[in-house]
Amino acid sequence: MQGIPPDSLRRAVAEVFARPEYRWATGRSPLQWLLEQIGRLLDWLGTLQTAHPGGYRMLMVALMVLLAGLVAHIGWVVWRITRPTARTPEREAATGGVRLEDARAHRERAEALAREGRYAEAIAHRFVALVLALEQRRAVVFHPSKTPAEYVNEARLDPSGSASLAALVGRLYRHVFGAVPCADREYRDFAAAADLVLQHVAPA
């Protein structure tokens, strides 16, 4: 060993430990990658603030406006979801339109709206018709102030019926409150599923 130059020994050791089987470092986890990206973003923002104060302020204002718009949109969606579904038919009842207690009238109103291409409104009336039909079977207690989701927990249905009612409420929220486009096929599927729910009323 005394005849081997130190540089040659260090070089040989370095070459050995450079081989893949001696690489002990593990790959980065998704969390580590995310933290690195956040760190890079913060470094970039710090550099931008120092080099271009005006651009940094404009970026901050734009981000605050975007955040305010996002919060407002979330609030609007929550308000639409938690608003009782039956209020629209209730207003019609006050003006001599469809009566809240008449399930058949709501079914007919839903069909009329579907023929006019107003499918989201048709689905809303079809859901009210279902709730009123369930009330006639003493499976729920209808009230205009209740939200659709409340009927899922309240309805006296077998497990299959409860799952179907929950799925219908999900569709109702998407099309009526979430403004997801709805066509004749979606309305017909909704109406057919609503009819099936009535077959799953559990015995008292």
Side-chain angles (χ1 to χ4, degrees), residues 1-2 9 13 29 31 33 37 49 53 70 84 114 122-123 126 136 169 202 204:
M1 293 292 293
Q2 294 179 356
L9 182 60
V13 172
S29 67
L31 179 59
W33 178 86
Q37 301 309 311
Q49 183 179 17
L70 181 61
I123 281 180
R126 194 64 182 77
Q136 291 174 354
V169 170

Side-chain angles (χ1 to χ4, degrees), residues 80 85 88 110 113-114 116-127 171-184 186-187 190:
R80 289 289 302 272
T85 307
T88 299
L113 289 168
E116 296 174 8
R118 297 160 63 183
Y119 296 109
E121 295 175 67
I123 281 180
H125 278 276
R126 194 64 182 77
F127 182 81
R171 295 191 206 177
L172 179 75
Y173 283 162
R174 284 196 300 274
H175 296 303
V176 177
F177 305 131
V180 174
C182 179
D184 185 73
E186 285 77 13
Y187 167 72
F190 187 95

Side-chain angles (χ1 to χ4, degrees), residues 151-171:
Y151 292 111
V152 176
N153 298 324
E154 173 189 333
R156 182 169 50 81
L157 301 169
D158 61 28
S160 178
S162 296
S164 297
L165 182 60
L168 285 174
V169 170
R171 295 191 206 177

Side-chain angles (χ1 to χ4, degrees), residues 8 13 33 44 47 50-51 63 69 81 83-84 100 104 121 155 159 179-180 195:
S8 299
V13 172
W33 178 86
W44 178 79
T47 302
T50 303
L63 290 176
I81 290 176
R83 184 180 61 172
L100 278 174
R104 180 181 176 182
E121 295 175 67
V180 174
D195 289 336

Side-chain angles (χ1 to χ4, degrees), residues 32-53:
Q32 289 174 324
W33 178 86
L34 179 60
L35 292 176
E36 286 183 9
Q37 301 309 311
I38 293 175
R40 291 179 181 178
L41 176 61
L42 294 177
D43 289 341
W44 178 79
L45 289 174
T47 302
L48 179 65
Q49 183 179 17
T50 303
H52 304 284

